[in-house]
Amino acid sequence: MKKIVIAAVAAMMAAMSVNAQGNELKNEVSVSYGTGVSQIGDGIGNSLGAGLFDSMSGYKWTNKSRVGTIAAEYFRHMDNPRLAVGGVVTFASFGEDVVRKNDDVKVGNRTRTYISLMPAVKYYWVNKSHFGFYSKAAVGAMMMFYKDKDTAAGKSSTSSKLYLMGQASPIGLEAGSNNVRAFLELGVGEQGIALVGLRTKF
């Protein structure tokens, strides 16, 4: 009788274990906003851009406006609970007016738009039910769209270029429930020096 009870308890525990594994949350979707973004892209765009004003002297740029990086991520958590692989899609933009140096008269404007698609991997150093500490790395392609407008001459130009881009976030912190968490990342790359967001697992 004792052996039968022990066998029944063992069978129940095994069944519960299999059921728990089946209910593990493997998929993760998140959205975030990053600051200190596109600094690498701005440097590339301003030095190599083929716009109307990029290679001309006698002008300066002012009234800068910037939209930080808006990102969407998807990750699939592996059987190893510390590892997740997926991808990141980002959007950011930058604009400024062009004025003559000698009299500060506006003669045009230029905008730069950055869209990137990057495969990514995350590794959890700490992975608890309500808290996680991880590092993330992503590398992929970024398309930069240039638009320059010379209002004085009635001319405009548009172009695009493809660049290699990435994100390295050595510090990633998340907290919340098992299904929904807020997160903060510190790093460098197209997503930003600092980014905050919300993620859900299902």
Side-chain angles (χ1 to χ4, degrees):
M1 184 66 177
K2 184 177 179 180
K3 291 182 179 181
I4 295 175
V5 172
I6 293 174
V9 171
M12 290 175 60
M13 291 180 65
M16 291 174 62
S17 176
V18 170
N19 184 59
Q21 290 178 4
N23 291 332
E24 287 180 358
L25 305 178
K26 294 286 190 178
N27 301 291
E28 174 188 304
V29 176
S30 67
V31 292
S32 65
Y33 182 82
T35 60
V37 296
S38 294
Q39 298 197 1
I40 298 174
D42 288 341
I44 295 173
N46 293 339
S47 62
L48 300 180
L52 295 176
F53 303 97
D54 284 345
S55 60
M56 299 174 63
S57 60
Y59 297 96
K60 64 181 180 180
W61 296 268
T62 185
N63 297 328
K64 294 182 179 181
S65 62
R66 182 192 304 274
V67 175
T69 295
I70 301 168
E73 302 180 3
Y74 170 78
F75 279 94
R76 174 73 176 179
H77 290 257
M78 301 292 99
D79 292 334
N80 179 349
R82 294 182 180 271
L83 184 64
V85 297
V88 183
V89 178
T90 72
F91 170 85
S93 66
F94 173 83
E96 57 191 348
D97 292 333
V98 185
V99 301
R100 289 197 297 255
K101 289 181 179 178
N102 58 350
D103 56 11
D104 286 337
V105 173
K106 179 181 175 181
V107 296
N109 59 68
R110 63 180 183 178
T111 60
R112 305 289 184 259
T113 302
Y114 315 93
I115 298 175
S116 64
L117 177 61
M118 303 180 290
V121 60
K122 288 199 300 184
Y123 185 82
Y124 281 83
W125 306 101
V126 177
N127 191 11
K128 302 297 184 181
S129 58
H130 299 288
F131 174 78
F133 169 45
Y134 61 90
S135 298
K136 184 181 78 180
V139 63
M142 179 179 70
M143 182 66 75
M144 300 177 64
F145 298 92
Y146 307 86
K147 184 177 182 180
D148 290 44
K149 185 176 182 180
D150 183 344
T151 55
K155 297 179 180 179
S156 64
S157 68
T158 59
S159 62
S160 62
K161 291 186 179 181
L162 188 65
Y163 295 98
L164 181 68
M165 187 52 63
Q167 175 73 25
S169 297
I171 299 176
L173 302 171
E174 61 180 26
S177 69
N178 196 34
N179 298 88
V180 180
R181 296 185 183 184
F183 65 91
L184 164 70
E185 290 183 18
L186 301 176
V188 63
E190 188 56 22
Q191 282 188 269
I193 297 171
L195 60 122
V196 295
L198 193 66
R199 65 172 45 110
T200 180
K201 294 181 179 180
F202 57 94

